[in-house]
Amino acid sequence: MDKLWELWGSDWLDSRFSLILLSISFILALAYLLPVFTGEDESAVPINVPVPEAAEAGWKGEVLVEPDIKVPGLSAIQCYCPATGQKLGLINPYTPEGIDRAIAAAKTAQPSWAKTTFAQRRKVLRTLLNFLLSNQLSLARVCARDSGKPLLDASYGEILVTASKLRWTLTHGEAALSPSRRPTDLLMCYKRNTVRYEPLGVVAALVSWNYPLHNFLSPLITALFAGNAIVLKPSERTAWSSAYFLSLSRACLVACGHSPQLVQSVPCWPSTAPHLTSHPDIKHITFIGSQIVAQSVLSAAATALTPVLAELGGKDPAILLDDIPDGELSKVVEILLRGTFQSAGQNCIGIERIVALPRTYERLLAVLPARVRALRVGPPLDSPSTSGSTPSSSTTTAPVDVGAMISPLPFDHLSSLISSAAAQGASLLAGGAPYTHPGYPSGHFFAPTLLASVTPAMPIARTELFAPVALLMRASSLAHAVEIANSTPYSLGASVFGESERDLQRVVAGVRAGMVSVNDFATYYVAGLPFGGVGGSGFGRIGGREGLTAVCCAKS
């Protein structure tokens, strides 16, 4: 006994601490070995899903003179690269009958999937994560080819955030969906209150084109981990890459011994989409898009009383206080440029308004114009080594800061809003018009634009632009800055930059938004937090515990 005491140490607290450490070690070892003993192997399965030829370096495709997704005389969706005009192929759109068959197949596969364990579901997600991390460049190239964004934007806005969601779900998903005890009262003190989260069945997601990989996989991750099957309706503008992402997700399911029919993709023309959103076998709808389309989705969903989660874009402000040190301002400028011009501004939580207090406004005015004018515009995979030269077959490409817009359709409206703002007193300091690339005239480029002296009364300050346009607005005080931030119908995200914790928290509390980043941009999106807006920016939450439980039946 004395020797045992010597091993533990002479202090009882030390011996207790040693026992606690031993207990924790035992529990961790048991948690690690239990899957082996029970046969619940969660390790990723290697899969091979060859990347489309058009995403390979040096690929040359037919260049369309005036590219459009609609071809006269054809019902097919014409897929092309918006940065170069190169044709990617034709995809037959789904008909109402085809949508019925897809939903029926998903409905047949879902009951077996609903009975799987969380360990089995994690195995599928680990397989997907392993492929994602092992093929980052190839996947980024697929996204860049179909949406026209630079590889850096694809790496951050497609790969990183999808990997983050997968890791969060793998680590915290089971805890979020496990049965939970709820408090009772004196009247029912002899009862136990429990909430169970059960699969809904077949859910649907109608997603936008700006992040083709992430918008396809994000609702899929949530739906599958909750035990549902899912029918995705990708944008017709990114139908080419969506076909590849469907093959990838199904390959993960098959490799882990599950039905590929759990995931369906039904690209179709907008006129056909109400057949999906009104279908009685769809038990939940996630919609990412515009307010106008959301009204149609909600109207159709009402016929079957299907719940809808809607993320409808924003007019996000970045509020800059006057106490930002001079030495820190350069870092803030880099964040502003990233937040505004990432994916050519086609980002629902992108910075659309820079609201600065007087001293910071003048400092920004001294540096932003030159920085915006210096941004390099071009195709991300095919840029010639020198500006103005013809397309090069070399795999060495010039750096690109801002890629293409998905379509030239908004160009006239954008130009009109910019001209109107200038006529009302705004200063056009950079860009302001579509840009014809000398090597790729079929690309859909808009020159990176900076407008200063913008006021809340101007239409451009209230309209979601979804374009590479920065608006610089002057606020006289902190309260005025919050007032400007809250002056639009949108309330999705926001950012605030400064030193004073008291002032930062005043802005966080005062701005009307679903999410706020402090001294950064959009960090809430990769933190497992609920994502969504209020007011004109929609309702419901994607991500985190709230996103998982949203596609479940909370059974009391």
Side-chain angles (χ1 to χ4, degrees), residues 506-532:
R506 283 179 61 192
V507 173
V508 171
V511 71
R512 189 175 64 247
M515 305 150 299
V516 183
S517 285
V518 177
N519 287 322
D520 215 326
F521 158 68
T523 46
Y524 43 74
Y525 198 72
V526 290
L529 297 173
F531 176 92

Side-chain angles (χ1 to χ4, degrees), residues 209-536:
W209 42 260
N210 53 335
Y211 291 96
L213 180 142
H214 182 68
N215 286 348
F216 190 95
L217 293 183
S218 178
L220 179 153
I221 293 164
T222 299
L224 290 182
F225 195 79
N228 299 305
I230 185 167
V231 179
L232 290 133
K233 189 270 174 199
S235 169
E236 56 274 20
R237 294 197 174 275
T238 49
W240 176 76
S241 59
S242 296
Y244 177 67
F245 303 142
L246 174 65
S247 297
L248 169 58
S249 57
R250 285 181 164 179
C252 293
L253 287 164
V254 171
C256 297
H258 305 290
S259 172
Q261 301 304 318
L262 287 164
V263 178
Q264 302 287 330
S265 180
V266 292
C268 63
W269 293 112
S271 58
T272 308
H275 189 78
L276 171 64
T277 51
S278 63
H279 202 287
D281 286 335
I282 296 296
K283 302 307 178 185
H284 182 277
I285 296 171
T286 297
F287 173 76
I288 303 173
S290 68
Q291 291 181 351
I292 293 176
V293 179
Q295 292 171 356
S296 174
V297 170
L298 290 167
S299 177
T303 62
L305 299 179
T306 305
V308 178
L309 183 158
E311 192 271 274
L312 309 180
K315 189 71 177 173
D316 289 12
I319 298 175
L320 279 66
L321 307 182
D322 262 347
D323 62 352
I324 301 173
D326 290 338
E328 294 294 315
L329 187 64
S330 61
K331 298 178 184 177
V332 175
V333 167
E334 298 301 328
I335 295 173
L336 294 177
L337 292 171
R338 163 61 52 190
T340 302
F341 296 103
Q342 178 176 313
S343 295
Q346 299 165 120
N347 184 1
C348 58
I349 51 172
I351 297 173
E352 292 229 353
R353 295 174 294 157
I354 302 170
V355 184
L357 270 62
R359 176 173 174 268
T360 299
Y361 181 93
E362 295 301 326
R363 289 185 288 166
L364 290 176
L365 207 55
V367 297
L368 275 181
R371 291 299 307 276
V372 174
R373 293 189 203 110
L375 292 173
R376 296 160 296 191
V377 180
L381 302 182
D382 306 273
S383 292
S385 57
T386 56
S387 177
S389 64
T390 57
S392 171
S393 61
S394 171
T395 57
T396 302
T397 58
V400 167
D401 300 310
V402 180
M405 293 185 66
I406 198 70
S407 165
L409 292 178
F411 285 1
D412 288 345
H413 184 53
L414 278 172
S415 299
S416 176
L417 286 170
I418 292 168
S419 298
S420 174
Q424 295 178 63
S427 300
L428 180 59
L429 303 179
Y435 169 68
T436 301
H437 193 284
Y440 297 89
S442 293
H444 307 324
F445 300 105
F446 199 92
T449 298
L450 174 64
L451 277 167
S453 302
V454 175
T455 65
M458 297 176 182
I460 200 168
R462 298 176 54 79
T463 304
E464 184 183 29
L465 303 179
F466 231 57
V469 178
L471 306 180
L472 186 55
M473 307 177 75
R474 183 187 182 109
S476 59
S477 64
L478 187 150
H480 187 214
V482 172
E483 180 185 338
I484 293 173
N486 293 338
S487 64
T488 79
Y490 296 97
S491 305
L492 187 56
S495 304
V496 57
F497 299 83
E499 288 279 291
S500 167
E501 183 65 23
R502 176 175 174 271
D503 288 344
L504 290 170
Q505 292 307 318
R506 283 179 61 192
V507 173
V508 171
V511 71
R512 189 175 64 247
M515 305 150 299
V516 183
S517 285
V518 177
N519 287 322
D520 215 326
F521 158 68
T523 46
Y524 43 74
Y525 198 72
V526 290
L529 297 173
F531 176 92
V534 294

Side-chain angles (χ1 to χ4, degrees), residues 53-215:
E53 181 185 359
E56 298 286 359
W59 175 78
K60 296 180 180 179
E62 175 192 357
V63 177
L64 305 171
V65 178
E66 294 183 357
D68 195 349
I69 58 173
K70 295 183 177 180
V71 180
L74 294 179
S75 63
I77 300 168
Q78 178 171 253
C79 305
Y80 68 93
C81 175
T84 63
Q86 291 167 297
K87 184 176 178 179
L88 298 173
L90 297 172
I91 289 183
N92 287 322
Y94 269 69
T95 62
E97 295 76 20
I99 291 174
D100 287 340
R101 289 191 293 271
I103 295 173
K107 185 178 179 180
T108 299
Q110 190 272 335
S112 296
W113 177 251
K115 297 175 183 176
T116 56
T117 64
F118 286 120
Q120 290 173 305
R121 298 172 195 176
R122 279 193 292 267
K123 187 178 184 70
V124 174
L125 297 192
R126 287 189 200 282
T127 300
L128 177 57
L129 177 60
N130 183 64
F131 185 89
L132 187 76
L133 296 179
S134 301
N135 298 271
Q136 296 180 51
L137 180 57
S138 295
L139 290 169
R141 294 180 70 88
V142 172
C143 296
R145 183 65 78 193
D146 208 15
S147 66
K149 67 181 60 175
L151 289 175
L152 178 61
D153 291 355
S155 297
Y156 180 81
E158 306 274 14
I159 309 299
L160 186 149
V161 295
T162 305
S164 174
K165 177 157 188 172
L166 281 164
R167 288 193 184 279
W168 185 92
T169 307
L170 289 167
T171 306
H172 305 289
E174 182 172 359
L177 296 182
S178 294
S180 60
R181 295 286 297 276
R182 299 297 173 89
T184 186
D185 57 18
L186 183 60
L187 182 63
M188 300 297 290
C189 63
Y190 62 96
K191 293 291 186 182
R192 289 183 301 177
N193 297 337
T194 305
V195 177
R196 297 166 52 90
Y197 295 100
E198 299 181 348
L200 290 175
V202 181
V203 299
L206 289 79
V207 297
S208 56
W209 42 260
N210 53 335
Y211 291 96
L213 180 142
H214 182 68
N215 286 348

